[in-house]
Amino acid sequence: MGKKKRLRIWLMICIAAAGFYCLRQLFVQYQLLAKVEDSLQSYLVEEGFSRVALYEDPEKSEVSLFPSSLLQYAAKEQTSDAPITVWKDASKKREKTTSSAAKSSKAQASPKPTLVVFQNGCFDITRNNSAVKQADEKVTAVMNQKKSAAPKKKGSAGSGGNTIAQNKKKIQELQKNKNRQYLLKNFYIVDSSTSIDPTVFQVKKMLQTKVTIKKEKKPQILIYHTHGASESFCDSRKGKKEDSIIGVGACLADILTKKYGYHVIHDETAYDMVDGRIDRNKAYNQSLHGVQTILRKNPSIQVVIDLHRDGVGNAVHRTTVIDGKKTAQVMFFNGLSRNKKGNIAYLENPNLEFNLAFSLQMKLQCMKDYADFAKPIYLKNYRYNLHLRSRSLLIELGNENNTLQEAKNSMSPLAKVLHEVLSGK
């Protein structure tokens, strides 16, 4: 083979290799952009924008897209297990001018807001969901109507007007018909970012899944807080851990240990505190690594609870009355690893069906014991580290309008329900 021919062959190989490398890089970038676009679309739809309007008429959507910038950010975070979420800048609203000169001339349009990219979920899981706001408004309306009415027997009815008898009737109907639509309508709130996979919501299986455990001397329950530093209550002292959701978690751990005899580990790490500052953007990544370390050291742990304080962004005060005490309501939460289009492959959760069965059984037991302690289970698109154990719970407790004492009052009924579900009693 001549020298020129060999040189030609090597040149062709180099060109082919370079072409393959370029194609591979384009494919990686395409995947990253697809993740960003998916999160962007879900968020914009939740905020009331139309997918069609976003692409056909960007002027009306008042959103500027910068794919290259998003790709650049995504490339830095591509090793992360967590999804990428896109948020709008708070400067969306146009400012009103009051000067006489401005009134006589055409109002100048404010610049379009930029998009700020964050990694890892949202600031408050239910903050922008219209279904939750509507439910809260209904509860507030019922409470206002009952203010002038004669008080009922303690514990007979909750703040939403439910009674234990009504709750039990709903549960009996579910056990009888085992209908998926009835289940979703009466026991869940489905966020607009996700969709329902019928193969996952098999009512009979969810009701019959055995979630009980036998008590051991080794650690069996882990309580932690992904947003420990940034979630407190209306009367909490700033910077005091004992006044935050971490302090409430300590109360739950204490009751489970002393009253019910479980060996509990309470992780007081503030996973949203980075370098002395609150940073919620990577909190789920931080808690993932922390909890995995604890589970490796304590493989006997079977129940993992991520205790949060919800944020609603309005004045709704979520309480019920239990044993004569104003008590913050709880809401169980499940991430489905699924968006509007289908399953999110990079957020696989082999424990999803068991997670759903566990939270449903917790919700049903709450309804049997208390009139209005637990709100409907909230379903959203991401995974939220619920894959770490089959008996994983994410619990939203009250909201920013609840007092610390109302939050702590919730821990006794919550511990009671957890014990009943785990013991089968």
Side-chain angles (χ1 to χ4, degrees):
M1 184 182 297
K3 188 176 180 179
K4 288 185 178 180
K5 190 171 183 180
R6 286 199 301 271
L7 185 61
R8 192 181 300 114
I9 292 173
W10 275 110
L11 184 61
M12 291 174 65
I13 292 172
C14 289
I15 292 173
F20 176 77
Y21 176 79
C22 291
L23 286 173
R24 184 179 179 278
Q25 289 300 105
L26 285 172
F27 179 69
V28 170
Q29 286 196 346
Y30 173 79
Q31 286 184 313
L32 290 170
L33 182 58
K35 289 181 183 180
V36 175
E37 286 186 333
D38 183 65
S39 292
L40 172 62
Q41 289 183 23
S42 296
Y43 177 74
L44 291 175
V45 168
E46 186 174 340
E47 287 294 297
F49 291 108
S50 164
R51 281 195 181 96
V52 177
L54 175 64
Y55 291 109
E56 290 185 358
D57 194 351
E59 293 296 325
K60 288 184 179 179
S61 65
E62 293 186 341
V63 174
S64 301
L65 300 180
F66 301 97
S68 59
S69 299
L70 297 181
L71 271 176
Q72 186 178 5
Y73 180 88
K76 294 178 182 178
E77 305 293 343
Q78 62 182 308
T79 57
S80 169
D81 175 56
I84 296 169
T85 303
V86 181
W87 288 82
K88 286 182 295 184
D89 186 83
S91 61
K92 178 184 171 183
K93 293 183 179 179
R94 299 172 188 270
E95 295 182 359
K96 294 182 179 179
T97 55
T98 56
S99 66
S100 56
K103 288 180 180 178
S104 61
S105 62
K106 291 184 178 179
Q108 293 183 352
S110 60
K112 293 180 185 178
T114 57
L115 293 178
V116 183
V117 184
F118 295 102
Q119 183 190 4
N120 236 344
C122 62
F123 287 98
D124 286 304
I125 288 174
T126 63
R127 191 179 190 89
N128 295 310
N129 184 268
S130 58
V132 173
K133 289 182 180 179
Q134 288 171 8
D136 283 335
E137 287 168 2
K138 288 180 181 178
V139 169
T140 303
V142 172
M143 290 175 68
N144 290 336
Q145 289 173 5
K146 289 177 177 285
K147 278 184 178 179
S148 58
K152 294 185 179 181
K153 185 179 177 181
K154 282 186 178 179
S156 64
S159 60
N162 297 326
T163 65
I164 293 177
Q166 290 172 332
N167 289 346
K168 288 182 177 180
K169 187 175 180 180
K170 280 186 178 181
I171 295 170
Q172 289 169 356
E173 181 63 27
L174 178 68
Q175 293 169 333
K176 179 182 177 181
N177 65 38
K178 298 178 178 62
N179 182 275
R180 186 183 303 108
Q181 292 304 318
Y182 183 84
L183 171 76
L184 295 170
K185 180 179 178 181
N186 290 280
F187 301 92
Y188 288 94
I189 294 174
V190 183
D191 188 87
S192 60
S193 65
T194 192
S195 56
I196 298 300
D197 179 0
T199 63
V200 171
F201 286 84
Q202 300 179 43
V203 181
K204 183 178 179 180
K205 185 177 180 181
M206 294 171 76
L207 294 174
Q208 295 179 354
T209 296
K210 185 178 179 181
V211 300
T212 56
I213 63 173
K214 292 183 179 180
K215 288 183 184 177
E216 298 177 2
K217 294 182 179 180
K218 298 178 181 179
Q220 289 184 287
I221 300 175
L222 169 65
I223 301 170
Y224 74 101
H225 312 274
T226 294
H227 295 148
S230 58
E231 293 180 344
S232 56
F233 302 90
C234 65
D235 59 348
S236 297
R237 294 169 294 174
K238 188 175 182 180
K240 296 290 184 180
K241 183 183 288 188
E242 60 268 29
D243 285 10
S244 70
I245 191 65
I246 295 176
V248 179
C251 181
L252 176 61
D254 188 61
I255 296 171
L256 288 171
T257 301
K258 294 179 179 178
K259 186 172 183 178
Y260 296 105
Y262 292 99
H263 191 158
V264 181
I265 292 178
H266 182 213
D267 178 12
E268 295 189 1
T269 306
Y271 287 109
D272 52 347
M273 181 68 74
V274 181
D275 297 327
R277 298 179 64 183
I278 291 177
D279 183 356
R280 293 170 64 101
N281 305 329
K282 293 186 179 180
Y284 279 97
N285 269 4
Q286 300 276 91
S287 63
L288 174 63
H289 298 313
V291 173
Q292 283 178 327
T293 299
I294 295 172
L295 294 179
R296 279 195 297 268
K297 293 179 179 178
N298 301 276
S300 57
I301 291 175
Q302 299 182 61
V303 180
V304 176
I305 301 172
D306 186 6
L307 184 62
H308 290 248
R309 183 230 70 202
D310 201 6
V312 294
N314 55 39
V316 171
H317 194 174
R318 289 181 185 165
T319 60
T320 186
V321 177
I322 297 176
D323 296 329
K325 300 176 183 178
K326 286 187 73 174
T327 303
Q329 293 174 302
V330 298
M331 180 173 68
F332 301 106
F333 178 100
N334 284 100
L336 299 182
S337 298
R338 182 180 175 86
N339 55 30
K340 284 287 188 181
K341 299 175 184 177
N343 293 335
I344 303 175
Y346 63 93
L347 292 177
E348 184 181 3
N349 181 2
N351 292 316
L352 177 59
E353 290 187 48
F354 204 111
N355 291 164
L356 289 166
F358 189 35
S359 62
L360 177 62
Q361 292 186 31
M362 286 288 293
K363 162 67 174 169
L364 297 183
Q365 190 62 48
C366 284
M367 293 175 68
K368 292 175 184 177
D369 291 350
Y370 307 104
D372 205 28
F373 179 47
K375 293 176 70 64
I377 302 169
Y378 198 91
L379 301 175
K380 208 169 181 184
N381 53 344
Y382 296 140
R383 187 172 60 184
Y384 305 96
N385 295 337
L386 293 171
H387 64 297
L388 295 174
R389 282 292 187 269
S390 56
R391 295 174 184 81
S392 288
L393 289 173
L394 195 160
I395 304 174
E396 292 284 356
L397 171 64
N399 59 41
E400 67 268 37
N401 302 312
N402 286 103
T403 66
L404 177 61
Q405 190 58 55
E406 289 167 352
K408 288 186 175 181
N409 289 345
S410 298
M411 295 303 98
S412 183
L414 180 60
K416 177 177 182 286
V417 168
L418 181 61
H419 170 65
E420 289 172 338
V421 171
L422 293 178
S423 65
K425 294 179 181 179

